[in-house]
Amino acid sequence: MSGRRGAGAPWRRRRPLRTRLALAASAAVALVAVGVCTAAFVIIRYAMGHQLELNLTQSATLVMQQNQGPHEAAPGVVAAECRYLSAPACSQIVPADAADDPSGTYALPVTGAVREVAAGRRAPYFSAVTLHGHPARMLVQHFKDGTAVQVALRADTVEKGVRQAAGMLATVGGAGVLLAAALGYWVSRTGLAPVTRLTAAAERIAATRDAAHRIELPAGPPGREDELTRLAASFNTMLGELEQSVAAQRRLVADASHELRTPLTALRTNAELLARADRLTDAQRDRASAALGRQLREVTTLVNDLIELARDEEPQPLVEQVRAAALLEHAVAAARGHWPEIGFTVRTAPGTEALTVPGVPARLARLLSNLLDNAAKFSPPGGPVEAELTAPPGALEITVRDHGPGIADEDLPHVFDRFYRAQAARTLPGSGLGLAMARQIARAHHAALAAERAPGGGALFRLRFPRDRTELPPAGAE
């Protein structure tokens, strides 16, 4: 059995899904049709045979009624005209003892079983016999005083009816099998039409690399779509996400190429200048070396930022519970070292010192560092930058505010875009990736980062972690 299954499996795998579905549907309907026809044949044959036996029982009862009382007949043949189809049943009375047989011959065969029924030692029974070359059905039933009644009727009409019924049911069954094959083919074509469209769309996208293609969905009331329609809708959604991802990747590559072109050109110029160092003065050489080192750091920072932006999720093995207050203090302390001319202040609301958030400490520190660096860059010399940790209902929130020029209304929707730099920021150092990286880190940690104009001037950045992702550390934790 396993060998046959193993031999048939490759054949099934080589057949298209439409062919396999059509064969399965056809086989199921064909089995039902054959089963119904078989059951109908069995029922018809039983009903016709039962009707013949009922006629024999009625004939035997009539013979026994006619041969009681003053009309009682001696053992022997009562009627022997059943060689014709229209004749009544052949009948005869047989004694239990062969010595009591009449001198004439019997019309029906007399066996030991008949004698046993006459003697009352055996129950009545039906049997198949042959009369004058024709099939017949015979009933042997106990009569009285050690005798039995035998009656017989020709059965060829029943057998002919059974054969005709078999032929008709075979024809109907064959037609049912053909209809099942047609229906199976129709079901496979209709049912797999969305799958065919899915396959064509996938092949087209693979050939053209164009994720803008969509599968046409059938019109219908919302909420009543079938499984294949929902699959097509999900595939369209996936294509939309893929298209956005591809577009974002292309924009990133184009923006990165544009941003790298200028520093690489400057690097090449300074490198070529240093290659002719023998023609430069010591001061020119020092300026060129300093510029080359500065540009190398800028390019390195830009490339590292691009690598960070290319990563959408945080590595799960590095995720741990991080104390938000300690993280903010650490980030502000690092910012004071980078921006000594800026006055950084930290405020933490009561009860927030022990709250933690799940995340990668280095990445969360990078997020806060980018926000603090952005605030310091736009703050006037000696201006304050305020960082605050609060716990509003349902959340844990960190805000960073500066007192600089603030964010223009036309720039506010784009402050987190990659490489976007406002008009006022184009003269300041930076590549326009810091805030984009901050938002990506926030999203990877299931937090929301928003920018707004601060009351009284300046910019305000609000980082909010949902409360269901914050928790108190376990007892005794450090």
Side-chain angles (χ1 to χ4, degrees):
M1 180 61 112
S2 60
R4 289 195 297 271
R5 186 185 299 113
W11 181 89
R12 290 194 298 270
R13 287 195 295 267
R14 287 195 297 267
R15 302 280 75 77
L17 178 60
R18 178 181 298 174
T19 302
R20 284 181 282 166
L21 182 59
L23 290 175
S26 303
V29 177
L31 284 175
V32 171
V34 171
V36 169
C37 292
T38 303
F41 172 76
V42 172
I43 293 173
I44 290 173
R45 185 176 62 178
Y46 170 79
M48 297 182 72
H50 180 70
Q51 182 62 41
L52 179 62
E53 292 177 352
L54 183 60
N55 292 338
L56 286 172
T57 302
Q58 292 174 348
S59 298
T61 302
L62 181 61
V63 170
M64 288 188 292
Q65 290 175 350
Q66 292 175 349
N67 290 275
Q68 288 182 349
H71 304 288
E72 182 176 348
V77 176
V78 177
E81 300 298 326
C82 58
R83 70 174 63 191
Y84 306 106
L85 287 175
S86 60
C90 292
S91 58
Q92 62 189 25
I93 299 175
V94 179
D97 189 355
D100 298 331
D101 287 342
S103 57
T105 59
Y106 287 111
L108 301 176
V110 178
T111 63
V114 176
R115 306 287 185 183
E116 292 177 358
V117 173
R121 296 193 301 271
R122 181 171 178 171
Y125 67 92
F126 293 95
S127 61
V129 295
T130 301
L131 295 178
H132 309 288
H134 301 289
R137 189 74 170 166
M138 182 178 69
L139 168 63
V140 180
Q141 186 170 341
H142 180 73
F143 185 20
K144 65 176 182 178
D145 299 332
T147 59
V149 173
Q150 282 183 276
V151 291
L153 282 171
R154 284 181 54 176
D156 45 343
T157 54
V158 174
E159 294 185 358
K160 181 179 180 182
V162 170
R163 287 194 299 270
Q164 290 177 345
M168 294 177 62
L169 290 174
T171 302
V172 172
V177 171
L178 295 178
L179 180 61
L183 288 176
Y185 178 75
W186 177 80
V187 167
S188 66
R189 285 187 59 86
T190 304
L192 294 179
V195 178
T196 302
R197 292 196 295 270
L198 280 174
T199 304
E203 291 175 347
R204 176 177 176 179
I205 293 170
T208 63
R209 296 176 179 257
D210 179 17
H213 183 68
R214 296 293 183 273
I215 299 173
E216 183 180 355
L217 300 178
R224 296 187 179 181
E225 301 88 353
D226 58 17
E227 291 79 1
L228 291 177
T229 302
R230 291 200 298 271
L231 175 62
S234 300
F235 193 76
N236 283 343
T237 302
M238 183 190 68
L239 289 178
E241 297 292 338
L242 179 60
E243 184 181 13
Q244 292 180 5
S245 176
V246 171
Q249 183 182 29
R250 289 174 178 172
R251 285 197 304 271
L252 176 62
V253 172
D255 293 341
S257 301
H258 175 74
E259 292 293 329
L260 285 171
R261 187 176 295 115
T262 299
L264 288 177
T265 301
L267 278 174
R268 183 175 60 187
T269 301
N270 286 316
E272 291 175 351
L273 184 62
L274 288 175
R276 298 191 294 272
D278 54 338
R279 304 179 185 179
L280 303 177
T281 63
D282 291 341
Q284 291 173 332
R285 251 193 327 269
D286 291 340
R287 284 197 301 273
S289 297
L292 184 62
R294 184 174 63 255
Q295 291 156 1
L296 281 173
R297 287 192 297 272
E298 291 177 0
V299 171
T300 301
T301 302
L302 178 59
V303 171
N304 289 336
D305 289 345
L306 289 173
I307 293 174
E308 293 291 338
L309 284 171
R311 182 175 62 184
D312 289 334
E313 298 180 353
E314 302 302 332
Q316 290 300 318
L318 302 181
V319 174
E320 57 184 85
Q321 292 295 328
V322 183
R323 289 181 184 266
L327 181 69
L328 183 59
E329 290 283 356
H330 174 76
V332 170
R336 289 192 181 108
H338 296 155
W339 304 88
E341 70 279 7
I342 301 298
F344 291 91
T345 60
V346 181
R347 291 193 298 272
T348 57
T352 60
E353 295 83 359
L355 290 178
T356 63
V357 294
V360 181
R363 299 284 289 161
L364 292 174
R366 180 66 181 275
L367 188 161
L368 296 178
S369 175
N370 286 2
L371 295 180
L372 294 169
D373 287 347
N374 182 79
K377 185 167 58 175
F378 287 96
S379 295
V385 171
E386 302 164 2
E388 185 177 7
L389 174 64
T390 58
L396 179 67
E397 188 173 274
I398 298 176
T399 58
V400 177
R401 176 185 175 175
D402 63 61
H403 292 266
I407 305 174
D409 291 336
E410 62 271 15
D411 295 327
L412 197 57
H414 307 289
V415 292
F416 295 107
D417 292 348
R418 295 170 179 173
F419 299 106
Y420 181 79
R421 306 188 71 186
Q423 184 69 29
R426 293 178 182 174
T427 58
L428 298 176
S431 60
L433 293 178
L435 293 180
M437 187 183 305
R439 168 165 280 189
Q440 177 171 298
I441 296 174
R443 286 178 174 173
H445 287 79
H446 305 281
L449 178 61
E452 56 190 72
R453 296 172 64 89
L460 176 67
F461 289 87
R462 196 181 303 274
L463 177 64
R464 177 172 293 219
F465 295 90
R467 179 57 63 89
D468 59 357
R469 297 191 63 82
T470 63
E471 61 179 30
L472 290 173
E478 297 294 334

